[in-house]
Every structure is written in structure tokens, then in C-alpha cells.
């Protein structure tokens, strides 16, 4: 019987979390191998069972991870984001606080991204958020730099022609909490015009792990936005 091998790319879960979900499929005749770094994971499914039976397993896997799947190919987050930007013909602006340029650095690994990456602003300080992006002083006073409201206004500040889509990150990488908020708390904003969405995440690990996880998840949300299915998250 012919061996079947397929790949599913996920973002947002650790390897133990993925393996725990896959326990549901123990004994199905499919071998699952999981590689994960900074919440970006590749699940390889290998089997020699009948293709029609495998179709059922594949469908189950996609249902189990419907909020984390971003590709069925061995491509990176930045490669897929760049490809989708190119296909849409849109220009992206990025505003980064805790990730401090990691998102833009990842995108810059992709040849030709200059056609679609218009600018990246590292607005680490509150003053920069206000002067560079127009984040309101009242917003920062009332909600803090680490908030949905600030992430939203960072995206809104990016959305000036020719930028079509804005992406923002603001959070706390540690080692200590701030503004009465815990280490790892992060807000990511993405959108354009009146359609700007914000997401709250709580990352764990070292300062470096938190920052890289935040960058990966930010690109994941950009991908889902470009695909038009971000409303499912």
C-alpha cells in the first residue's frame, strides 16, 4: 500500500498542547510527528492506511486545530505572509513595541518583500507611540501602553496612504511586570480602515521566548486577516 505523508502548519500552541489534542486520534493508524519553536509548529502525518480513511483523519485534524492552522505546506509564516501580501497587492505597515523589530526582520528574510512592506516603526517608548502613531495620551493614561486600546490606535496610526494594512504588537516581555500587568501579556492589532481587530495573548517563557512567540503570532494573525478568515478566531 502506498505511504501517505502530509504536513500541517500551526501557530499558537506549544508542542505539549498539540500532542494533548492529538491524543484523540490515538490508534487511528497515523503517525504524528510534531516540531515546534516559539509556538510555530509543523505536524507531519504519515500512514499507509487507505486514502479514504486518511481523509477522515485529516479532516479531524483540521477541525481540532481550526483556530491554529495556517498552511498545508512546509512554508514559514513570513513566506506565506509575504506571498499573500503580494497576491493582494497591498502594502503593510508594522508598529512594534515588545517585539522591537522582530516582525519586520522576519519579513525581510523573504526576497521581494520591499514591494509590499512599506514601513516598520519600533515605538518602544510611550512618547514614540504618541508622536509617531498618534496614540492618545488619554488612552495611555486610562488603559496603559499594554492594552487593546493602544494596540488598536497603533494600527490606526499606521493606516495612512499608501499603507493598506497595519499590524501592531505591544506587551510585556519581562523580567518583571509593569502597569500592574503580568509578564507575557501581549496585545496584537491588525486591520485597516474601520476593520481593526485586537487580540489578547499571554505568552510564557523567557524574555526572548516571549518576544519571538509574539512575533510569530502577529504574523499568524496577519495571514488569517489576508485570507479573510480571521473572524473565526
Amino acid at each position: 500500500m502506498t505511504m501517505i505523508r502530509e504536513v500541517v502548519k500551526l501557530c499558537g500552541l506549544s508542542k505539549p498542547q498539540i500532542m494533548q489534542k492529538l491524543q484523540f486520534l490515538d490508534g487511528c493508524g497515523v503517525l504524528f510527528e510534531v516540531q515546534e519553536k516559539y509556538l510555530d509548529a509543523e505536524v507531519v502525518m504519515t500512514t499507509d492506511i487507505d486514502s479514504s480513511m486518511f481523509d477522515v483523519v485529516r479532516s479531524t485534524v483540521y477541525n481540532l486545530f481550526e483556530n491554529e492552522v495556517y498552511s498545508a505546506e512546509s512554508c514559514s509564516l513570513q513566506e506565506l505572509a509575504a506571498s499573500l501580501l503580494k497576491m493582494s497587492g497591498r502594502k503593510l505597515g508594522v508598529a512594534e513595541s515588545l517585539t522591537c523589530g522582530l516582525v519586520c526582520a522576519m519579513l525581510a528574510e523573504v526576497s521581494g518583500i520591499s514591494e509590499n512592506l512599506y514601513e516598520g516603526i519600533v515605538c518602544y517608548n510611550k512618547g514614540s507611540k504618541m508622536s509617531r502613531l498618534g496614540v492618545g495620551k488619554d488612552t495611555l493614561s486610562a488603559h496603559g501602553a499594554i492594552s487593546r486600546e493602544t494596540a488598536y490606535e497603533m494600527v490606526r496610526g499606521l493606516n495612512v496612504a499608501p499603507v493598506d494594512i497595519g499590524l501592531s504588537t505591544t506587551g510585556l516581555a519581562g523580567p518583571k511586570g509593569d502597569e500592574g500587568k503580568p509578564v507575557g501579556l501581549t496585545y496584537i492589532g491588525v486591520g485597516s480602515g474601520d476593520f481593526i481587530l485586537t487580540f489578547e495573548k499571554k505568552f510564557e517563557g523567557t524574555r526572548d521566548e516571549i518576544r519571538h512567540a509574539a512575533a510569530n503570532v502577529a504574523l499568524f494573525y496577519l495571514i488569517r486577516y489576508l485570507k479573510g478568515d480571521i473572524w473565526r478566531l
Side-chain angles (χ1 to χ4, degrees), residues 23 28 37 60 71 105 115 119 129 134 149 166 176 183 205 232:
Q23 286 180 359
C28 71
K37 187 174 184 181
T60 302
S71 180
E115 295 180 15
E119 66 179 346
K129 292 177 176 66
E149 292 79 6
K176 296 185 294 184
V183 172
R232 293 167 48 193

Side-chain angles (χ1 to χ4, degrees), residues 14-58:
S14 65
K15 183 175 180 177
Q17 290 173 319
I18 294 169
M19 296 303 295
Q20 183 177 21
K21 280 196 168 189
L22 288 173
Q23 286 180 359
F24 176 76
L25 292 167
D26 282 352
C28 71
V30 176
L31 174 65
F32 296 97
E33 296 179 72
V34 179
Q35 298 293 327
E36 175 265 328
K37 187 174 184 181
Y38 305 133
L39 304 185
D40 181 24
E42 179 175 274
V43 179
V44 180
M45 300 179 285
T46 308
T47 187
D48 59 1
I49 63 174
D50 180 81
S51 60
S52 61
M53 294 175 63
F54 180 68
D55 287 342
V56 175
V57 176
R58 182 201 295 114

